[in-house]
Amino acid sequence: MPHGELQAELELLYRAAGRPPYRRVSAEIRRQNHMPDTVSHETVGSILRGDVRVRWSKLESVVRQLAIMAVHRPDQEEEVRRFHALWLAMVDSQRPDHPPTPKPVDEFAPPDIGTLSAPALPDGLPPGITPQRNHAFTGRRDLLHQISGRLAEEPWQPLILHGLAGVGKSQLAVEYLHRNAQRYDIVWWITAEDPSRATAALATLGERREWPASYDMAQTARTVLARLESGAGRWLIVYDNANSPDEIVPLLPQAGGHLIVTTRDAAWLSQGRALEVDVFTRPESIDLLCARGHQIMREEADQLAARLGDLPLALEQVAAMQSATRTPVADYLQQLDEREAALRLLMSTAPGDYRIPVATAVTVAAERIRKESTSTAQLLELISCLGAEPISLTLLRSGSQPIPPPLGRLLELPDALEQAVWRLRRYGLVKVVDDGQALQVHRLVQAIVRDALPADARAQAYTNARRLLAAANPGNPTAPLTWDMYGRIGPHLRPAGMVDATDPDARQTLIDQATYLSEIGDFEGSRRLSKDALDQWTRHGAADDEQALASLQRLAAALKDLGRYGEAYRLADEGWRRLVEHPAYGVHHPTTLKLSDLLAVLDRVFGRYADALRRDRQIVEAYQRIRGDSHTATLQARNNLAVSLRVVGDFRAAHDIDTELAGLRRIAVGPDHQRTLLSVSNLARDLYGLGDYAASLDLQQSIWPTYQSRLVRRHPHLLAATRTIVQGLRKTGRLAEALDKGRQLYLHCQESLGTEHELTLAAKVTYANALCANGEVYKASSFVSEAVDRYRRTFGDRNPLTLAAATNQAIILRALGERRQARQIGEVSCQALRDVVGPDHPYTIAATVGVANDLVLAREEDIARRRLAGALEDAKRILGEQHPDTLICATNLGILMSRDSPESRGLLDKSIDQLRRALGTGHPVVTAAVAGKPTECDIEPPPV
């Protein structure tokens, strides 16, 4: 069969690649922009498990990546051709002679009763993440029908399935999803216990649908929600086990398809249409016990059901245990009676407490496990101290070393671990998921196992859980190859109480996890984890410990990435001041320098450029003294110093540093390394600031293909490099290209980074400048006005970025003929720039040229002449005599002087000749100067 042949060959290639984790394959495909498509790790898993009926571009991407990883290094193109032939053969074999006639479907009509009782076809699920179906699902016919009806009601609201733990809310949602999946274009399951995981699940949905992604995961999630709300087809999304509405409601779509939330939290009842999920009816309980147990008669099942309070989780556990042990029902009832009396005393519960039936059943099974295998019992105790999310067998094996025997030895032996999992599964204590690669324990079962342990045994179980997670920590969280393991570790850190740990390895695991979350764009998740760790460690008197300070720095960085600049600055400044005075640290300690570096970044954000430059100089000097000139930290500090030099307008000094850095990094890490490419991009920005627009454009374009292949799509560094290209195209007179690329850049920034991000606002102004240059001044005015307003609200009225944007706004208003408004904005901005960045800054010089143009239009030519003469002298001294802005200033002055004094024509002619040499004969600025029209000096601030 063609399908089998394709799958067999794919399995051989996967083995040759070393059977890498699905997440790693997906991350590597995403990292390499030459791949024909992106492939989520879920799709990678589906393909490698046999579902190869996907778009060829996705299968091709997987084949190419596995060929790269394979030990025998096969030829990529040959492998692609071979697999494409196999794929075509499979497609041809599955193509029917006569395609079926499509059946019209009412988009959101509830199914009839017949549909409810009919199982979905095996291949009927649309693309999505869905839990495995429980083929032993029993009963709930009325509830399934009610779900259909409630989802179809108007007006639109989410459906809230609420009830006690163990009543089967999640199982009910899974069954509804599988029975009705063919009605939808999208089905998606989101674990909503933790906002970070819910955000990540939304981002994965966006990736699967190939919607615009952002470097900021929260922004990606917002884009996904907007797409769902605005008509992304028929969709069904389940948010399972949702915690507080305050955390999860912002992550819900508010219109569109069908939304189900399962929860125990009564606060959700006001958030949608509530449907209570109660215990089974007695006939449903009897049906389950008879179907799942061993030779249980209906009368016996009735007794067991009454004894267990018809609670589905307890019924399932007892059925599995009785089936495995073949215990007669009468004997089993006696065991339950004996165990319940002890548990009721232990748990101090009243008769009727819903936990007692489950606790009784679980405790009987756990005692049986302890009699059979001590190591398996210890495994149950350990996983009861982890999260209710799937627990990867890879994680269990990776963290085995520090755990004492017998559990430690069990985890080291794959066969012994598989045997232990089989035993736990046999007694109904765990589920095996992800094709046998992970196990899962119900949170209520976990709580019962923990609560039943003596205090010393419970403490040891938690210690083992923390040791496991710390030992599995792969380190180097900035490297994508480690991200798969961090994804496995993350859901279990809080349940294991890692923030309470005092062990340095456990604490480092939290710091590394927070770093990983920032690396994948989950800045809010990184902030929460860092804050919890810092608060706990501070309460225990470790505020000045290096790991606590690392957590403080991570928290401040996350706040910065979230745009909470004021909070970030206050936190980092308080920490820095404390360390400067601390006898164990001091001003030159590496930990102090890291906080100082973050403060320099924030100084630039707030427009305090001189303060940032002072800090960066001190940091470079300190690193040179304690690390040496060639250390990575020293080179990064010099890179940051060049950034500060650019924002103060000293492009020549920045150029000298970036030239040296680019050379050093080519030697140290190679010409195609990300750090080298960043240095070259910075060099292109220096050239732009120096007025060599053509060289800037050529340099940035020369590394563009390599840069694009090294970074994920729409990485901020890549977007910033694109902006340099757009600026270069406009300044070299390639206006149509600048307009097209400028529009794409702005849309990509807005989709990827959000409307308030500094790079989005900069791209918006760049696009407005391109619109103005192309004569679309009305549209340009609208865009620049919006940008200035957002700059004011985000960064403040007197931030240099706001004032630079306002200077460009005045230019566009002059082009519109709005002279009065242009003059008001231009004069206020110019004076503010003089106050904030100084009279010698390039921004102030450019703004002065604009003010002079306003004065000329108002026939105040004497004042305009004095302003231009002063600006020209400043420009010659700061920018150089051949800088285009200097020449524009000279040309405008020449035009003004030649009107009153024809003998001054020489200055104008000389300036125009120099402009021709700088920009080219046919450049629009040159053409305007020849026609005697004053031109403008716009401002394109470099990234801060």
Side-chain angles (χ1 to χ4, degrees):
M1 291 288 290
H3 178 278
E5 186 178 355
L6 173 57
Q7 187 57 37
E9 290 298 318
L10 199 56
E11 173 62 23
L12 289 174
L13 185 59
Y14 184 50
R15 287 181 185 175
R19 302 184 71 83
Y22 302 153
R23 287 180 186 273
R24 180 184 171 192
V25 176
S26 173
E28 289 297 309
I29 291 171
R30 188 167 56 250
R31 191 175 65 82
Q32 302 178 59
N33 277 11
H34 66 274
M35 289 291 186
D37 208 339
T38 57
V39 191
S40 70
H41 68 272
E42 294 89 359
T43 302
V44 172
S46 296
I47 291 171
L48 294 175
R49 289 193 297 264
D51 184 7
V52 290
R53 286 160 292 189
V54 295
R55 192 166 61 241
W56 164 245
S57 61
K58 292 190 179 292
L59 181 57
E60 180 188 351
S61 297
V62 173
V63 168
R64 285 185 181 278
Q65 187 55 46
L66 293 179
I68 293 170
M69 294 174 162
V71 291
H72 63 294
R73 295 290 187 269
D75 181 83
Q76 262 193 68
E77 300 306 323
E78 189 173 321
E79 287 295 278
V80 167
R81 285 193 295 271
R82 185 167 71 88
F83 275 91
H84 191 232
L86 292 169
W87 181 79
L88 288 174
M90 181 199 72
V91 171
D92 289 340
S93 72
Q94 294 176 344
R95 186 176 291 128
D97 294 333
H98 302 288
T101 303
K103 181 180 178 182
V105 178
D106 181 6
E107 203 168 322
F108 294 126
D112 56 28
I113 297 298
T115 305
L116 286 174
S117 59
L121 295 175
D123 296 324
L125 286 175
I129 297 177
T130 56
Q132 189 172 349
R133 188 175 192 179
N134 178 7
H135 292 287
F137 183 87
T138 301
R140 302 300 201 187
R141 181 185 181 89
D142 289 342
L143 279 174
L144 288 166
H145 186 62
Q146 288 183 60
I147 290 173
S148 297
R150 295 286 184 89
L151 287 173
E153 290 178 10
E154 296 290 344
W156 186 95
Q157 281 187 299
L159 176 63
I160 313 298
L161 297 182
H162 69 98
L164 301 172
V167 296
K169 302 179 294 296
S170 299
Q171 285 294 316
L172 181 63
V174 169
E175 183 64 17
Y176 181 84
L177 183 151
H178 279 272
R179 289 193 183 195
N180 296 277
Q182 289 177 313
R183 306 171 56 78
Y184 299 96
D185 301 310
I186 301 169
V187 290
W188 208 254
W189 187 275
I190 294 175
T191 301
E193 190 169 4
D194 176 57
S196 286
R197 292 186 65 77
T199 301
L202 286 169
T204 303
L205 170 57
E207 178 185 344
R208 184 74 65 87
R209 302 298 294 181
E210 299 179 353
W211 292 334
S214 169
Y215 188 64
D216 179 352
M217 190 180 289
Q219 176 58 33
T220 300
R222 287 191 288 271
T223 299
V224 170
L225 294 175
R227 291 293 181 109
L228 292 170
E229 291 163 349
S230 60
R234 300 167 298 181
W235 53 261
L236 169 64
I237 300 179
V238 178
Y239 285 71
D240 185 48
N241 195 42
N243 270 343
S244 168
D246 293 341
E247 294 182 328
I248 301 299
V249 166
L251 298 174
L252 300 183
Q254 298 300 317
H258 288 168
L259 177 61
I260 297 174
V261 177
T262 75
T263 184
R264 290 168 290 155
D265 190 338
W268 277 95
L269 299 183
S270 62
Q271 300 295 328
R273 292 188 180 88
L275 179 59
E276 183 179 7
V277 181
D278 205 346
V279 297
F280 273 164
T281 63
R282 183 57 52 83
E284 290 174 333
S285 300
I286 293 171
D287 288 344
L288 184 149
L289 288 168
C290 290
R292 301 283 299 277
H294 175 68
Q295 297 180 354
I296 298 178
M297 306 300 292
R298 293 192 71 83
E299 295 80 6
E300 295 174 322
D302 187 23
Q303 289 179 284
L304 273 175
R307 182 67 185 67
L308 297 169
D310 295 302
L311 190 67
L313 179 62
L315 293 165
E316 285 191 14
Q317 204 286 313
V318 164
M321 178 72 179
Q322 191 273 341
S323 177
T325 61
R326 303 294 197 264
T327 304
V329 172
D331 294 348
Y332 204 90
L333 283 167
Q334 183 178 350
Q335 292 180 35
L336 291 174
D337 286 338
E338 293 170 355
R339 178 45 52 192
E340 179 177 337
L343 278 172
R344 199 173 294 285
L345 181 64
L346 175 69
M347 298 171 70
S348 301
T349 57
D353 189 302
Y354 81 95
R355 294 175 298 165
I356 284 296
V358 187
T360 305
V362 168
T363 305
V364 169
E367 287 179 350
R368 182 67 175 255
I369 290 287
R370 288 190 183 93
K371 291 177 183 178
E372 294 183 4
S373 169
T374 301
S375 58
T376 303
Q378 289 182 348
L379 175 62
L380 175 63
E381 292 160 7
L382 182 151
I383 61 180
S384 294
C385 297
L386 298 176
E389 295 294 301
I391 302 162
S392 161
L393 296 184
T394 301
L395 170 60
L396 292 173
R397 289 190 289 263
S398 299
S400 62
Q401 190 171 3
I403 296 176
L407 177 57
R409 277 195 282 268
L410 179 145
L411 295 176
E412 289 176 354
L413 300 173
D415 290 345
L417 178 58
E418 288 181 12
Q419 179 70 16
V421 171
W422 173 83
R423 184 175 279 114
L424 293 173
R425 183 185 185 188
R426 181 169 176 250
Y427 290 160
L429 294 167
V430 304
K431 290 192 303 181
V432 174
V433 296
D434 294 346
D435 287 336
Q437 297 305 303
L439 55 91
Q440 193 168 16
V441 195
H442 194 285
R443 57 183 47 81
L444 186 53
V445 172
Q446 288 178 312
I448 290 164
V449 170
R450 291 194 307 267
D451 291 346
L453 290 173
D456 57 342
R458 188 184 310 129
Q460 184 61 52
Y462 271 111
T463 298
N464 285 342
R466 292 166 185 167
R467 285 175 176 172
L468 175 89
L469 296 172
N473 179 24
N476 197 13
T478 60
L481 292 182
T482 67
W483 292 355
D484 177 71
M485 182 56 76
Y486 280 113
R488 298 173 191 269
I489 291 172
H492 306 292
L493 294 174
R494 292 180 188 278
M498 287 289 274
V499 294
D500 299 321
T502 57
D503 177 70
D505 289 340
R507 288 185 168 183
Q508 189 60 46
T509 302
L510 289 174
I511 295 167
D512 289 345
Q513 182 74 19
T515 304
Y516 153 75
L517 290 172
S518 278
E519 287 292 318
I520 66 170
D522 187 2
F523 305 130
E524 177 57 26
S526 179
R527 183 201 68 80
R528 281 199 305 270
L529 186 59
S530 299
K531 185 177 188 306
D532 288 350
L534 180 61
D535 288 348
Q536 182 70 2
W537 300 345
T538 301
R539 278 195 295 270
H540 285 77
D544 293 336
D545 177 84
E546 282 204 38
Q547 289 182 316
L549 292 166
S551 194
L552 182 148
Q553 183 199 1
R554 187 72 266 153
L555 173 57
L559 288 167
K560 173 187 73 69
D561 291 331
L562 288 166
R564 295 162 63 171
Y565 302 121
E567 293 175 71
Y569 193 92
R570 286 190 293 274
L571 181 67
D573 187 55
E574 184 274 329
W576 177 79
R577 291 178 185 277
R578 195 169 77 242
L579 291 184
V580 167
E581 302 298 329
H582 198 290
Y585 293 95
V587 70
H588 294 144
H589 192 280
T591 303
T592 313
L593 293 175
K594 287 178 182 178
L595 284 174
S596 188
D597 177 68
L598 181 58
L599 288 170
V601 173
L602 291 165
D603 277 331
R604 290 196 293 271
V605 168
F606 287 120
R608 299 191 287 259
Y609 296 160
D611 291 344
L613 180 60
R614 175 183 52 80
R615 276 190 185 276
D616 280 324
R617 289 192 193 280
Q618 292 171 349
I619 293 168
V620 169
E621 291 169 3
Y623 273 125
Q624 286 173 331
R625 184 160 52 252
I626 65 175
R627 300 289 197 202
D629 289 340
S630 59
H631 193 275
T632 303
T634 307
L635 298 181
Q636 185 59 43
R638 294 187 68 201
N639 177 88
N640 296 344
L641 173 59
V643 176
S644 285
L645 287 166
R646 270 193 297 279
V647 297
V648 298
D650 194 348
F651 296 103
R652 177 58 60 192
H655 181 273
D656 292 343
I657 291 175
D658 288 324
T659 300
E660 186 178 351
L661 285 179
L664 290 171
R665 285 174 166 171
R666 283 191 188 98
I667 296 169
V669 294
D672 296 341
H673 192 279
Q674 182 178 334
R675 286 199 293 270
T676 307
L677 296 170
L678 176 61
S679 288
V680 176
S681 286
N682 286 337
L683 196 54
R685 295 183 189 104
D686 299 330
L687 289 168
Y688 182 91
L690 290 168
D692 197 345
Y693 305 134
S696 170
L697 178 61
D698 290 344
L699 182 60
Q700 189 67 84
Q701 286 182 322
S702 71
I703 66 163
W704 176 252
T706 308
Y707 214 6
Q708 196 175 30
S709 69
R710 290 293 179 272
L711 295 176
V712 296
R713 288 188 304 173
R714 301 184 184 178
H715 189 287
H717 289 175
L718 206 57
L719 294 171
T722 305
R723 180 168 170 253
T724 302
I725 291 174
V726 174
Q727 294 167 189
L729 288 170
R730 180 171 64 84
K731 288 292 192 177
T732 55
R734 295 159 63 177
L735 302 184
E737 292 176 75
L739 184 62
D740 182 53
K741 268 195 171 297
R743 179 178 178 277
Q744 293 177 29
L745 170 66
Y746 165 63
L747 292 175
H748 289 167
C749 287
Q750 183 168 258
E751 290 173 341
S752 300
L753 304 174
T755 56
E756 308 291 335
H757 195 279
E758 181 256 329
L759 187 51
T760 303
L761 297 177
K764 196 168 193 173
V765 173
T766 296
Y767 180 44
N769 287 340
L771 285 166
C772 186
N774 278 273
E776 298 186 36
V777 287
Y778 287 100
K779 193 172 182 181
S781 178
S782 174
F783 271 85
V784 77
S785 176
E786 290 174 9
V788 171
D789 183 56
R790 288 193 182 273
Y791 266 126
R792 285 196 177 107
R793 285 189 278 119
T794 305
F795 296 100
D797 287 346
R798 291 174 65 80
N799 190 293
L801 297 176
T802 306
L803 300 172
T807 299
N808 293 329
Q809 183 182 22
I811 292 172
I812 293 169
L813 287 169
R814 277 192 293 276
L816 270 174
E818 298 285 348
R819 297 180 180 181
R820 183 177 61 82
Q821 190 179 1
R823 181 170 181 177
Q824 287 175 341
I825 292 172
E827 287 184 345
V828 169
S829 301
C830 183
Q831 184 56 51
L833 283 168
R834 295 180 74 86
D835 296 340
V836 173
V837 296
D840 294 342
H841 196 284
Y843 297 177
T844 308
I845 294 170
T848 302
V849 172
V851 169
N853 286 340
D854 286 322
L855 291 167
V856 170
L857 290 171
R859 301 186 184 280
E860 299 178 35
E861 295 179 351
D862 287 343
I863 303 174
R865 190 181 297 110
R866 289 196 297 273
R867 286 288 189 95
L868 280 173
L872 179 58
E873 292 306 312
D874 291 338
K876 288 178 179 178
R877 180 167 44 85
I878 302 301
L879 301 174
E881 294 196 1
Q882 300 305 311
H883 193 287
D885 283 358
T886 305
L887 298 176
I888 286 171
C889 191
T891 302
N892 287 1
L893 182 59
I895 291 170
L896 190 57
M897 292 177 65
S898 64
R899 292 175 184 173
D900 300 329
S901 174
E903 61 270 15
S904 300
R905 181 74 193 184
L907 172 63
L908 177 60
D909 292 340
K910 179 183 177 182
S911 300
I912 291 175
D913 285 341
Q914 290 173 319
L915 265 179
R916 283 196 186 97
R917 287 195 292 272
L919 301 178
T921 302
H923 195 282
V925 170
V926 176
T927 303
V930 170
K933 297 177 181 177
T935 51
E936 304 278 6
C937 294
D938 58 73
I939 305 174
E940 294 274 13
V944 298

